[in-house]
Amino acid sequence: MNQPDSDTSLFTRLPNRLRFVLVETSRAGNVGSVARAMNTMGFSELVLVAPRCADPLRDPEAIAFASGAIDVLEGARIVGSIAEAPEGSNFAAAVSARLREFSPPVWTPRQFAGHAAAQGELRPALILGNERVGLPNEIVEKCNVLINIPANPAYSSLNLSQAAQVLAYECRMAAIGDSLPETPIGFQGDAASVTQIEGMYAHLEEALVSIGFLNADNPKKLMPRLKRLFSRTQLETEEVNILRGIARQILKR
């Protein structure tokens, strides 16, 4: 698959295309938890179909469980029927732990995510059912695919927000790949030069000889092994200085 230009990357478009639809949700806390799951992965479009809880977008439990994802709750829509939910979408994916005899093709979350990320014109809707009874057959049968999360077969019951989190994560990863954030995390110093590292090795070897850890007349492979060890660390200048400081203190004694 060709990589798109950075200003039109698939991930920058996918949050505007993907919709999460909750059908007849019973607990306002679950609505808030789903909003949080969406927001952590960069998605924001949430639609509630005939929720069974009163005022689910302003309920204190929903706000508490959203844990800061208030913008997702404030932007959510409430509709009266499933027929209204997919408006503007052209691909519907039912999410269920229960497989049906008559159902659309069964996909994993990763298959769905890859398809959604690769098809720039796709406006998919992920449809999740009630916490207790899930989605009715008539809704599943009208969807393009049925998403089944391959959980532990002995205990495959996921909380509504857990299922939403799995799906949101897979969609994000399909869009951005396995790359880490470009912003460096933690301290990063200047890489040590070859001359600095060689000087450190000579200094360290002198210190090891002075304490009898290395036999200068019969060094065997100790220094090559130490060089191999340190070469895997990508030494920085400050780290070389620390090691030379240790060697200096050894030689003083």
Side-chain angles (χ1 to χ4, degrees):
M1 183 174 65
N2 293 331
Q3 293 296 321
D5 295 336
S6 58
D7 60 340
T8 58
S9 68
L10 290 172
F11 180 64
T12 59
R13 297 202 309 268
L14 188 55
N16 299 324
R17 295 190 282 114
L18 180 62
R19 175 182 305 173
F20 285 74
V21 178
L22 307 184
V23 179
E24 298 183 353
T25 310
S26 298
R27 292 287 303 273
N30 283 331
V31 174
S33 294
V34 170
R36 179 180 182 179
M38 294 169 56
N39 202 32
T40 59
M41 295 296 124
F43 301 100
S44 60
E45 188 172 357
L46 176 62
V47 177
L48 307 182
V49 177
R52 296 182 180 180
C53 45
D55 204 11
L57 303 181
R58 296 179 179 84
D59 188 287
E61 186 179 77
I63 294 172
F65 279 64
S67 189
I70 305 302
D71 53 337
V72 177
L73 288 179
E74 291 177 344
R77 293 189 295 117
I78 298 179
V79 298
S81 69
I82 188 64
E84 301 172 69
E87 182 180 351
S89 295
N90 55 10
F91 191 89
V95 182
S96 177
R98 180 165 57 91
L99 300 179
R100 322 295 168 98
E101 183 179 1
F102 299 101
S103 81
V106 179
W107 285 8
T108 65
R110 193 159 297 175
Q111 285 176 295
F112 168 81
H115 184 72
Q119 306 296 322
E121 76 287 351
L122 205 67
R123 297 183 302 279
L126 284 167
I127 303 176
L128 298 98
N130 174 267
E131 298 95 326
R132 187 174 63 85
V133 297
L135 288 172
N137 289 337
E138 54 267 27
I139 291 180
V140 173
E141 291 170 3
K142 291 178 181 178
C143 291
N144 298 90
V145 296
L146 171 64
I147 298 178
N148 183 261
I149 298 173
N152 175 10
Y155 187 71
S156 60
S157 176
L158 273 77
N159 175 274
L160 177 61
S161 62
Q162 291 173 334
Q165 187 73 79
V166 169
L167 293 160
Y169 170 79
E170 288 291 351
C171 288
R172 180 177 178 86
M173 293 307 295
I176 68 172
D178 290 327
S179 58
L180 291 171
E182 292 183 4
T183 303
I185 299 174
F187 174 79
Q188 286 192 334
D190 296 328
S193 68
V194 173
T195 301
Q196 289 172 324
I197 293 174
E198 287 302 319
M200 181 270 291
Y201 286 143
H203 204 168
L204 185 59
E205 182 175 358
E206 183 182 0
L208 294 176
V209 169
S210 73
I211 60 174
F213 190 82
L214 173 64
N215 185 345
D217 297 324
N218 188 23
K220 296 185 179 178
K221 296 183 179 180
L222 177 61
M223 288 310 299
R225 287 186 181 278
L226 285 176
K227 290 180 179 181
R228 181 183 175 194
L229 184 155
F230 285 120
S231 69
R232 294 199 297 268
T233 67
Q234 302 297 309
L235 285 167
E236 298 172 3
T237 299
E238 185 62 28
E239 293 165 344
V240 166
N241 291 337
I242 290 170
L243 291 169
R244 295 199 70 161
I246 294 171
R248 190 175 303 110
Q249 290 301 315
I250 293 173
L251 289 170
K252 281 183 178 180
R253 286 169 169 78

